[in-house]
Amino acid sequence: MSEPVGEGTERAPGESGAHGAVRADLLELDQSASAARYEPRPTLDGDEGDGKSRRFWSWRRIPAAVVAAVLLGASALTLYDVAAVRAEHPAMYWRRWLAARLATEPLDNTWVLVGSGVAAAVGLWLIVLALTPGLRQVLPMRRTPTRVRAGLDREAAALSLRDRALEVSGVRSVRVRARRSKVRVRAVSHFRELDDVRADLDTALAAGIGDLGLDRPPALSVHVRRPKKG
């Protein structure tokens, strides 16, 4: 015997349990997928998930190459001299001269102090290069839900804001300098009141800075003047 299950359809005995189990499994999978779709994604290392982006790190190729070349040359020269002395050959002149000078010159000598200061300055410079990210020309942008880390060149940001400023009525020419913490705008207006032009520039450039999508929007400084006579 078979029992009706709808209009014009029949189902064999014992089939309802299997279909019910399959439908229950599909329902559970659909609910799990829906829950996973709205769960927060795991954050990357160093990202707190608040949309903040850190500065980009420079590769420091030139300082690293210079330091590596100097250390390699000094190490190779010293190793060769030590091996020559072990082979019962006289030490190089520079090594004998340096040993004699260090044995006879007092520590408060001017050249000793100058050499120590230069060595300390170079070491401090290398430490600063190692601990700072560099790439000041690239402004980090806000992280989007697509997890893409992007940066905007300061010259490109200045060019975009310059185009915005030129759209303001009364602006004849404008110069924009974009830095990490502040955007400086110097505009020349040949008609309209300077206060009105400055107010319109503040509004337009504030919107332009917001449209750049920077992680830390810089402050805005606007100066408007009349063109020079003559």
Side-chain angles (χ1 to χ4, degrees):
M1 295 290 293
S2 62
E3 55 181 350
V5 292
E7 296 181 359
T9 60
E10 294 183 354
R11 183 172 55 196
E15 189 179 1
S16 60
H19 278 277
V22 171
R23 291 174 181 174
D25 292 341
L26 291 176
L27 181 60
E28 292 179 359
L29 289 175
D30 184 64
Q31 292 176 351
S32 301
S34 300
R37 187 181 304 117
Y38 296 103
E39 287 180 357
R41 299 178 180 177
T43 58
L44 299 176
D45 295 338
D47 183 16
E48 293 80 5
D50 55 355
K52 297 295 183 180
S53 299
R54 298 181 179 179
R55 286 177 56 189
F56 291 86
W57 281 76
S58 173
W59 287 100
R60 311 286 189 186
R61 291 186 176 93
I62 296 178
V66 171
V67 173
V70 171
L71 293 179
L72 180 61
S75 302
L77 188 61
T78 304
L79 181 61
Y80 175 80
D81 190 41
V82 171
V85 172
R86 292 292 183 180
E88 299 181 354
H89 291 281
M92 291 184 178
Y93 173 76
W94 67 268
R95 186 180 177 190
R96 288 185 277 112
W97 176 85
L98 182 61
R101 296 287 299 206
L102 292 177
T104 56
E105 292 291 340
L107 295 179
D108 58 351
N109 184 275
T110 303
W111 291 108
V112 174
L113 296 178
V114 170
S116 302
V118 171
V122 172
L124 181 61
W125 175 62
L126 294 176
I127 292 175
V128 171
L129 290 180
L131 298 180
T132 54
L135 285 182
R136 301 175 62 87
Q137 195 66 19
V138 180
L139 302 175
M141 303 178 68
R142 289 191 300 268
R143 289 206 173 186
T144 61
T146 57
R147 315 292 296 169
V148 176
R149 189 183 183 204
L152 181 64
D153 189 82
R154 291 195 308 184
E155 293 183 0
L159 183 60
S160 175
L161 295 177
R162 177 179 176 273
D163 294 340
R164 287 259 189 164
L166 290 175
E167 294 176 356
V168 175
S169 177
V171 175
R172 178 178 180 179
S173 62
V174 63
R175 183 176 60 182
V176 180
R177 296 185 62 183
R179 299 184 177 275
R180 291 179 52 244
S181 59
K182 180 174 288 188
V183 175
R184 299 182 181 273
V185 180
R186 299 292 181 265
V188 176
S189 176
H190 57 295
F191 69 94
R192 295 184 65 196
E193 294 293 333
L194 295 183
D195 293 337
D196 296 339
V197 175
R198 185 180 298 108
D200 291 345
L201 282 174
D202 288 336
T203 303
L205 294 177
I209 292 175
D211 292 341
L212 294 178
L214 299 178
D215 178 48
R216 297 179 180 179
L220 180 62
S221 174
V222 179
H223 178 74
V224 184
R225 62 177 178 85
R226 293 296 185 190
K228 296 181 179 180
K229 295 181 179 181

